[in-house]
């Protein structure tokens, strides 16, 4: 029998855990049999912004994605190896084999659903990343706002924007250039061509320069086909660049302006709906009441470190706003050391007005 001193020592050792034990348990929670649960290069998926309720956003995303996945591809059928016909049926009466077979079917069905859509940790506020496997993110995500645009039926409360992510790489300029050279080929390489714009957003990252990224990506598009042109009003393709910490998420989407920048709250509104405004009254002594207009969306407020990196580039002259130029012309550097005016042509003109929580 252990002495009281030994018992106290044993019980005390169980109460106080080291920091390493907690970190290890945290890693286990964020990893499972299907792989890491952290956003990293090499993944495909869907990037979603939300209105401060991340848990509700994930629930809505799973319901919405599964609904439209079945609508687009049809209900998924789970086929287990034990269900396939075989020549011998002597094990059908075995109770143990039947239970084992049923357990295997349940496990296979659960694993398939987990592999289809899986929420990943990304380290950014109000942002959810859903990993996809065996599904084309751009096709699925385009189908969702397309249906909501036609029916005008609102299906989400917490979800704001939903963007497909067709590829991810390290968020360093050289890595992004190397990856984009291959990534952008299906849309812009001859014989393919089209008008385009580039939208850029960085979260929790300050070492990547916005203008440099846009300049390099548009240069790649121009090198793939000189007939690709910049169009900020109604582009055929929109190159989406979303940087979260050290990961760069890329995609090329259609109907970006038609579907209100893939904002599921805005796409269900008709064109005649006025913008939502909040009226705030302030009382001033001796001057009565004064009505003050404030926009209802304060979601695009950035951290000081990010605001400098995500600032809007304003064209230097009025001629730059009304012209659509080939990339080869826009991205050409001026002689005499002047900076190229490329960034103001390719960046989205109304970026600061996005109804998005970042």
């Amino acid at each position: 029998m252990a002495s009281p001193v030994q018992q106290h020592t044993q019980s005390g050792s169980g109460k106080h855990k080291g920091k390493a034990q907690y970190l290890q348990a945290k890693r286990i929670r964020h990893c499972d049999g299907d792989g890491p649960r952290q956003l990293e290069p090499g993944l495909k998926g869907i990037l979603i912004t939300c209105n401060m309720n991340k848990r509700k956003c994930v629930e809505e995303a799973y319901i919405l994605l599964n609904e439209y996945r079945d609508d687009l591809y049809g209900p998924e059928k789970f086929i287990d190896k034990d269900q396939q016909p075989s020549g011998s049926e002597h094990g059908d009466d075995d109770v143990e084999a039947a239970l084992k077979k049923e357990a295997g079917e349940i496990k296979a069905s659960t694993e398939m659903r987990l592999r289809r859509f899986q929420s990943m940790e990304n380290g950014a506020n109000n942002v959810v990343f859903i990993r996809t496997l065996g599904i084309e993110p751009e096709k699925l995500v385009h189908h969702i706002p397309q249906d909501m645009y036609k029916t005008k039926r609102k299906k989400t409360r917490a979800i704001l924007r939903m963007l497909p992510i067709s590829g991810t790489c390290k968020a360093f300029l050289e890595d992004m250039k190397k990856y984009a050279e291959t990534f952008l080929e299906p849309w812009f390489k001859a014989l393919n061509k089209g008008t385009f714009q580039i939208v850029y957003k960085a979260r929790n990252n300050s070492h990547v320069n916005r203008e440099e990224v846009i300049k390099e990506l548009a240069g790649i598009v121009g090198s793939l086909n000189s007939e690709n042109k910049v169009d900020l009003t109604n582009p055929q393709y929109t190159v989406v660049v979303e940087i979260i910490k050290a990961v760069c998420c890329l995609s090329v989407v259609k109907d970006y302006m038609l579907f209100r920048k893939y904002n599921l709250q805005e796409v269900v509104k008709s064109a005649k709906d006025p913008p939502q405004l909040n009226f705030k009254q302030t009382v001033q002594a001796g001057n009565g009441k004064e009505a003050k207009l404030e926009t209802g969306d304060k979601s695009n407020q950035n951290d000081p470190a990010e605001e400098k990196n995500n600032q809007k580039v304003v064209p230097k002259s009025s001629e730059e706003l009304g012209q659509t130029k080939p990339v080869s012309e826009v991205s050409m550097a001026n002689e005499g050391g002047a900076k190229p005016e490329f960034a103001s042509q390719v960046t989205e003109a109304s970026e600061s007005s996005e109804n998005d929580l970042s």
Side-chain angles (χ1 to χ4, degrees):
M1 181 176 179
S3 63
V5 177
Q6 291 175 341
Q7 291 179 351
H8 177 73
T9 305
Q10 292 174 358
S11 61
S13 61
K15 292 181 180 179
H16 302 286
K17 295 183 179 180
K19 185 177 180 180
Q21 290 177 284
Y22 286 109
L23 292 176
Q24 184 178 4
K26 186 177 180 180
R27 292 191 193 101
I28 293 173
R29 286 197 302 270
H30 292 291
C31 295
D32 55 18
D34 295 330
R37 296 281 300 276
Q38 190 80 18
L39 177 60
E40 60 184 16
L43 297 179
K44 290 185 178 182
I46 300 165
L47 189 144
I48 304 170
T49 60
C50 60
N51 57 358
M52 306 297 293
N53 194 339
K54 208 167 183 177
R55 183 187 296 272
K56 181 65 176 177
C57 176
V58 174
E59 293 176 359
E60 287 186 355
Y62 283 150
I63 295 173
L64 197 67
L65 293 173
N66 279 290
E67 174 188 345
Y68 280 95
R69 189 267 171 205
D70 293 342
D71 182 46
L72 195 62
Y73 298 98
E76 191 165 17
K77 297 180 180 179
F78 302 101
I79 301 176
D80 191 77
K81 293 181 180 179
D82 294 335
Q83 293 178 335
Q84 297 177 358
S86 58
S88 59
E89 299 180 356
H90 61 276
D92 292 343
D93 298 332
D94 191 346
V95 177
E96 184 178 355
L99 292 174
K100 189 175 181 180
K101 175 182 174 181
E102 184 178 358
E105 292 174 1
I106 296 173
K107 183 179 179 181
S109 175
T110 304
E111 288 178 352
M112 186 63 71
R113 291 192 182 95
L114 289 176
R115 287 197 296 269
R116 183 195 295 177
F117 302 113
Q118 181 64 63
S119 176
M120 311 291 286
E121 294 291 333
N122 59 75
N125 293 329
N126 303 317
V127 177
V128 173
F129 186 90
I130 305 290
R131 182 196 67 185
T132 61
L133 287 178
I135 295 173
E136 301 176 21
E138 60 276 5
K139 185 177 180 180
L140 176 61
V141 175
H142 184 271
H143 181 59
I144 294 173
Q146 183 180 44
D147 178 68
M148 297 176 70
Y149 178 80
K150 292 178 180 179
T151 61
K152 300 300 181 184
R153 290 179 57 193
K154 186 176 179 179
K155 295 188 176 183
T156 64
R157 292 180 178 272
I159 295 175
L160 296 180
R161 298 177 68 207
M162 179 177 284
L163 294 168
I165 300 301
S166 303
T168 55
C169 64
K170 293 181 180 179
F172 297 96
L173 188 59
E174 292 301 321
D175 294 276
M176 294 165 65
K177 286 168 56 179
K178 184 178 180 181
Y179 185 78
E181 288 174 355
T182 305
F183 177 80
L184 297 173
E185 285 185 358
W187 294 276
F188 300 108
K189 188 176 181 180
L191 302 165
N192 298 326
K193 64 177 181 179
T195 57
F196 75 99
Q197 68 174 348
I198 296 176
V199 292
Y200 174 96
K201 177 68 180 178
R203 297 175 174 87
N204 300 345
N205 182 297
S206 59
H207 69 268
V208 179
N209 184 274
R210 175 176 179 265
E211 294 185 16
E212 290 181 358
V213 172
I214 295 175
K215 176 182 175 181
E216 294 294 342
L217 292 181
I220 292 172
V221 174
S223 65
L224 292 174
N225 190 338
S226 60
E227 296 186 14
N228 293 320
K229 297 181 179 181
V230 177
D231 184 358
L232 304 182
T233 305
N234 188 24
Q236 184 178 357
Y237 301 108
T238 296
V239 181
V240 178
V241 183
E242 291 277 348
I243 296 179
I244 303 177
K245 288 189 173 181
V247 179
C248 174
C249 304
L250 291 173
S251 64
V252 179
V253 300
K254 296 181 179 180
D255 301 317
Y256 186 75
M257 305 305 293
L258 177 64
F259 296 155
R260 308 287 185 92
K261 304 171 186 176
Y262 282 57
N263 190 314
L264 302 189
Q265 304 296 323
E266 298 293 326
V267 75
V268 296
K269 298 179 181 178
S270 63
K272 297 180 181 180
D273 290 342
Q276 295 181 356
L277 296 175
N278 292 334
F279 292 87
K280 181 184 266 188
Q281 293 184 340
T282 57
V283 180
Q284 298 180 353
N287 295 329
K289 295 184 178 180
E290 179 183 358
K292 182 179 179 182
L293 283 177
E294 289 189 349
T295 58
D297 180 27
K298 297 183 180 179
S299 60
N300 205 30
Q301 295 178 350
N302 298 325
D303 296 335
E306 297 177 4
E307 184 175 359
K308 184 177 180 181
N309 196 32
N310 296 328
Q311 60 184 347
K312 178 181 174 184
V313 179
V314 181
K316 297 181 180 178
S317 64
S318 60
E319 295 179 358
E320 297 177 7
L321 290 172
Q323 295 180 356
T324 300
K325 300 181 180 180
V327 175
S328 57
E329 178 184 350
V330 177
S331 60
M332 186 178 298
N334 297 329
E335 295 181 359
K339 294 182 179 180
E341 299 178 356
F342 154 77
S344 61
Q345 290 286 338
V346 182
T347 49
E348 184 180 13
S350 60
E351 182 181 2
S352 60
S353 65
E354 290 185 357
N355 183 19
D356 175 20
L357 274 175
S358 52

